[in-house]
Amino acid sequence: MRSLVRMIIGAAVFLFSPLLFAAVDGAAIAASDQGGEWRAYGRDYSEQRYSPLTQVTDKNAGQLKLDWYLDMPDSKALAATPLVVDGVMYFTASQSIVMAVDAITGSVLWRYDPQVLERLRDKKHMRFNWGTNRGLAFWKGRVYVGTFDGRLIALDAKSGKESWSVQTFDPKEPRYITGAPRVFKDMVLIGHGGAEAGAIRGYVTAYDTSTGKQKWRTWIVPGNPADGFESEALKQAATTWRGDWWIHGGGGTVWNSMTYDSEFDRVYLGTGNGAPWNQEIRSPGGGDNLFLCSVLALDASTGEYVWHYQTTPGENWDYNSAMDIVLAELDWKGQQRKVILHAPKNGFFYVIDRENGELLGAEKFGKVTWAERVDMKTGRPVETPEARLPDGVNALFPSFFGAHNWHAMSFSPQTGLAYIPYMEMAGEFDKQDIDRERWRARDFNFNSGFQPYRRDIAEKDASGALVGWDVKAQKIAWKVNLPGYWNGGTLATAGNLVFQGSSGGKFHAYRANTGLPLWSFDAGVGISAAPVSYSVNGQQYIAVLAGWAGGSYLGSTALARHGWDYGQQPRRLLVFSLQGDETPPPINPPAAELVIIDDKAQSIDEAQAIVGQDLYLDTCVGCHGFHVIAAGGAPDLRASGLAAKLEPFNQLLRSGVLQHRGMPRYDDLNDREIEQIYWFIRQRARESLIEQREQGE
Ligand code: CA
């Protein structure tokens, strides 16, 4: 009965939509009071992810109940921040699929499938986490999505019908989109990733929201000087590069953070790492390599350079600055300042004056060994002696996964704390025996310019935490240690709450000022996405997509420990309220010990396995995991019957018979190379079986 009433209310709200839809413009997104809606990726233009709703508080959060849920049987990776406009929730599922559901009942209103997998057949994009998409933009009755194969698509919000579609890069290039577009002033802005996938040079493009016509495009790093520079800023930037950097692309992709500032009419871009990471290849002799790893402020109308602050000059470690750029206004040492809050991979929390780019503060929010501190006089990091690998190889904190990655940070003006999904682990950087003169990126292979990362990440070597960071005091206010790294994005609310999902599959509420755990729900699968809060008809809801995504599929013992097996744990949209009375759906418990296949009679060809490891790292690692330890992105090959015998394995790679499930056709590998990969998998299976037995004893 109750659900019937709800459906009717939901339908009534939906009928009124066209009138209200038109109202979602710049003023509507800029508003801090959004009438209970969540209109943009970071809620409003500040991207604070702070909901002013107060029905759910630290006093009653313990009574939160499941209100409704939606099973997502076609999905694997779920990373998106849902939008809620006029009683309808919009979000992206795997493969850039867009969904519109009734925000009260969860009934599906429409589903738009951009057919990414169809378009990617016989291409190699699938090696790069093709399933992940972080979200949408909403503007005047249309929803905007960037697809993995590089399209930017405008959909009618009411019907889900395509209004227009543009190709933002040549789909043959090793670029891809996983990030959410941003909208302002009748323009929609999109970037892309791919700085490891080939020799590319990053850019962002603004398109007209009604027609899809290009308004402006801004390149992030300079190209070949012989071709002329696109702007005076890039001409200046070129003086910070050495050698023939353009051969390697340079990098600087903008794959995640882009924040529009309606007060200064600017866009702040969080720019990417170098292509390749190893600066001795990319720019021999050093240099800052602008505008890599920077907050880059552009004029929103023209895309022209305004100012920049580079967090990692001379990038060498994949320490990109693509993490959230949060806008705030606060009392900074006695002065009211309009600031940017930014916690990029490199482990420092930056406070930057957004009027002029002046650095106000930079302190470590976790374990950092590549730099001692940031010199506030020069604004530059003081690198440690080991940072540039004087011995050729070194393990540094943070790893290339970063102290913080794309999992959204939130900021509560009420507590003055930023809530950071923190990761602590070392990454090994090895430049030994790299031939700088001959090194060239190969399209759709993993190109870092270092030796391939061959290690597993053991449970003891990696940890995660939710960090409550006191922005003004520039120190940790509280910290909740979590079992595992790669935890979800965060949401802060005016009810003195912070919400976060964990890699261990629990969805938590904490008291925002102290970090006290108040409530949790067993989602039955790792969570990467950030939650949102909204209200419809006076009821406050908390929503989160459960189904981990992104780099978790790179696998490791530390990630596999959670037991999220390929295809085993249902992916869902979960929505909670104080009045919820939905029975929690069944969950599949984490997998028990992996059943490894190993033919004892088979003798492993060790020499071929050594070559096979590097081929595996180039082609298979993105889904099947480092060290052949999968963490849910694809079957674990140590336990796969299809990888147990050479002939069927060869057939599988060549035929593309599993392309519909995302397994590419590897017709670029010859028989010998496939055999080498096969021997590496068999070797890893045997080693793992021995380890399992030793641990069992
Ligand atoms: Ca990167």
Side-chain angles (χ1 to χ4, degrees), residues 196 273 277 318 320 345:
E196 285 86 19
N273 52 272
W277 307 346
D318 193 25
N320 61 58
K345 274 187 176 183

Side-chain angles (χ1 to χ4, degrees), residues 176 194-196 253 255 272-274 277 317-320 345 400 446:
Y176 49 81
E196 285 86 19
T253 56
W255 54 268
N273 52 272
W277 307 346
W317 314 271
D318 193 25
Y319 291 162
N320 61 58
K345 274 187 176 183
F400 35 77
F446 194 88

Side-chain angles (χ1 to χ4, degrees), residues 105-352:
T105 64
S107 60
V108 177
L109 302 171
W110 54 258
R111 178 183 185 274
Y112 171 83
D113 183 351
Q115 301 284 323
V116 167
L117 217 46
E118 283 297 312
R119 288 186 175 236
L120 291 181
R121 289 224 173 156
D122 294 321
K123 297 204 179 77
K124 297 166 189 165
H125 279 85
M126 284 189 250
R127 298 180 192 182
F128 280 86
N129 265 318
W130 47 270
T132 297
N133 186 285
R134 286 186 294 278
L136 302 161
F138 195 103
W139 186 261
K140 297 181 181 175
R142 288 199 182 115
V143 175
Y144 300 86
V145 63
T147 65
F148 199 80
D149 55 303
R151 285 168 290 161
L152 179 68
I153 300 173
L155 303 172
D156 181 276
K158 196 163 180 267
S159 65
K161 295 271 180 313
E162 199 173 299
S163 299
W164 53 257
S165 172
V166 290
Q167 195 71 48
T168 70
F169 53 75
D170 182 337
K172 286 196 283 294
E173 291 180 334
R175 305 176 193 261
Y176 49 81
I177 296 174
T178 54
R182 305 297 200 280
V183 277
F184 47 85
K185 300 175 76 175
D186 294 319
M187 286 186 274
V188 52
L189 183 68
I190 191 76
H192 59 262
E196 285 86 19
I200 63 162
R201 183 162 76 103
Y203 59 77
V204 295
T205 317
Y207 298 89
D208 184 295
T209 47
S210 345
T211 62
K213 192 168 171 281
Q214 184 174 318
K215 303 289 277 188
W216 54 262
R217 172 168 290 176
T218 296
W219 296 80
I220 309 303
V221 296
N224 186 346
D227 300 334
F229 298 109
E230 288 88 354
S231 68
E232 184 58 31
L234 285 175
K235 189 177 167 191
Q236 291 301 316
T239 65
T240 69
W241 291 74
R242 311 277 180 265
D244 42 9
W245 72 87
W246 56 90
I247 289 171
H248 304 294
T253 56
V254 178
W255 54 268
N256 184 47
S257 70
M258 305 186 290
T259 301
Y260 173 67
D261 184 336
S262 57
E263 290 169 279
F264 292 106
D265 193 26
R266 287 178 195 152
V267 182
Y268 307 112
L269 307 177
T271 70
N273 52 272
W277 307 346
N278 184 344
Q279 196 192 18
E280 289 175 16
I281 294 172
R282 190 181 70 237
S283 178
D288 285 354
N289 297 175
L290 293 169
F291 295 100
L292 294 181
C293 307
S294 301
V295 176
L296 179 59
L298 304 180
D299 181 290
S301 301
T302 62
E304 282 166 20
Y305 172 92
V306 182
W307 60 254
H308 76 276
Y309 175 77
Q310 189 174 43
T311 56
T312 309
E315 199 285 296
N316 194 52
W317 314 271
D318 193 25
Y319 291 162
N320 61 58
S321 235
M323 290 71 238
D324 319 70
I325 294 172
V326 176
L327 311 185
E329 191 169 337
L330 45 89
D331 182 319
W332 187 264
K333 298 174 180 168
Q335 263 192 313
Q336 202 64 18
R337 308 288 287 254
K338 292 179 194 297
V339 299
I340 280 168
L341 311 178
H342 183 50
K345 274 187 176 183
N346 76 12
F348 286 91
F349 193 103
Y350 296 88
V351 182
I352 301 166

